[in-house]
Amino acid sequence: MAIVYALLCLLFAAVNDLVFKMYADRFRSRGAFVALVGLVWFLLTLWLPWEADSRVGATVLWGMISGTFSLTANLLLMEAMKRESAGMCSTLYRLNMIFVVVGAFLWLGESVSPMQIMGILLALLAILAFFPTGEHLFSAGSVGFYLALLAALLRAGMGLSYKYGFMHGADANGVVVINSLFWFFGGIVYAVALERRASIRNRTLLLYGVFSGLLVSGIVFFMAASLRHGDAALVLPIAQMSFIGTFMLSVVFMGESFSLRKLGAVLSGAAAVLLLSMSAA
């Protein structure tokens, strides 16, 4: 069952990244969309129980810190998807694991094994393979690439803050609920203060937001279920492979270009995730 739940988590994440891309191509208001996702996410995860020995103060603090990372990472991911393909952005975003490994080594005192070093090198190879062809290092055409990388870095910050918070008594379910509130209120602030628009009267926008909210809630639920039924070293690599699904879905349903270079980058990223996860076992 652990593998089944992890595969469902993979499927939901792959589809959600595709929804992000479809929304980014069609609408300009990121804030209203994120707020809707956060609202649905909050309503569907509010019922999750807290651990009896968890610390409320630590839960609130690390829920706020990780929520800030999560909100900004996903806003940047959508901005990147407006400019680049879903397959590329999803792959770069999920390769945040290399930043997590480096961050854990620098700030949490964890060791780095030869397997992890190989995984980091393969991940860097995948990143380099995705750099837009024919563009200079800091040209306007490479902005989407750098936005996706920055989103991955912030996503790694979320993962590290999760880990540090749980080490200091934060409740996992409580942190997730607080994250959803950051999406809701942060999305409203982003829409009003930066985009100057907060309307959700557009029915299509509403459908996108609700559907993505259901997918995000499913990702959280199935990830938790897979970890309850199996070892993290088994289920986390499966869940992290969602970028392969996004890459295939974007080619089939959105007509995004397919090349051996892109395929090699995705496969290199997949191998990197496996090596990084295996070393954590």
Side-chain angles (χ1 to χ4, degrees), residues 1-15 218-219 222-223 226 234-242:
M1 286 306 299
I3 295 176
V4 172
Y5 287 135
L7 287 172
L8 287 171
C9 182
L10 180 155
L11 177 62
F12 275 52
V15 175
I219 294 167
F222 288 120
M223 176 64 75
S226 66
L234 172 67
V235 300
L236 289 181
I238 297 175
Q240 285 282 7
M241 295 292 180
S242 62

Side-chain angles (χ1 to χ4, degrees), residues 7-22 25 81 85-88 90-91 94 211 215 219 241-258 262-263 266:
L7 287 172
L8 287 171
C9 182
L10 180 155
L11 177 62
F12 275 52
V15 175
N16 191 58
D17 282 353
L18 192 68
V19 171
F20 269 31
K21 170 62 176 174
M22 295 171 68
D25 283 346
M81 285 187 169
S85 68
M88 188 208 81
S90 180
T91 303
R94 302 301 168 186
F211 184 45
L215 290 171
I219 294 167
M241 295 292 180
S242 62
F243 59 86
I244 299 176
T246 303
F247 176 74
M248 294 188 296
L249 290 173
S250 65
V251 171
V252 173
F253 293 104
M254 299 193 67
E256 292 190 352
S257 62
F258 175 87
K262 287 185 176 180
L263 179 61
V266 170

Side-chain angles (χ1 to χ4, degrees), residues 24-155:
D25 283 346
R26 189 165 184 176
F27 296 95
R28 293 181 59 191
S29 178
R30 317 282 187 262
F33 173 78
V34 166
L36 279 170
V37 174
L39 178 60
V40 175
W41 179 7
F42 172 74
L43 293 175
L44 292 178
T45 57
L46 181 61
W47 55 271
L48 294 174
W50 285 33
E51 295 290 338
D53 57 348
S54 62
R55 297 169 54 192
V56 175
T59 301
V60 172
L61 174 62
W62 292 103
M64 293 171 64
I65 293 173
S66 61
T68 301
F69 279 123
S70 176
L71 172 67
T72 52
N74 280 276
L75 285 170
L76 284 175
L77 177 62
M78 282 192 289
E79 293 292 346
M81 285 187 169
K82 181 69 176 178
R83 297 166 171 82
E84 295 290 349
S85 68
M88 188 208 81
C89 292
S90 180
T91 303
L92 294 181
Y93 189 67
R94 302 301 168 186
L95 288 179
N96 69 82
M97 287 184 67
I98 66 172
F99 302 119
V100 173
V101 170
V102 174
F105 171 73
L106 293 175
W107 297 300
L108 300 182
E110 296 186 3
S111 60
V112 178
S113 69
M115 295 282 282
Q116 286 178 313
I117 294 174
M118 289 177 61
I120 290 172
L121 292 175
L122 281 173
L124 291 175
L125 180 63
I127 291 171
L128 290 174
F130 268 124
F131 189 82
T133 56
E135 297 291 342
H136 297 296
L137 191 59
F138 298 108
S139 64
S142 60
V143 170
F145 173 83
Y146 287 116
L147 285 174
L149 269 186
L150 182 56
L153 183 61
L154 291 169
R155 176 61 175 77

Side-chain angles (χ1 to χ4, degrees), residues 156-174:
M158 187 197 82
L160 288 169
S161 60
Y162 271 6
K163 190 164 188 176
Y164 191 86
F166 299 155
M167 288 168 57
H168 290 78
D171 182 83
N173 291 335

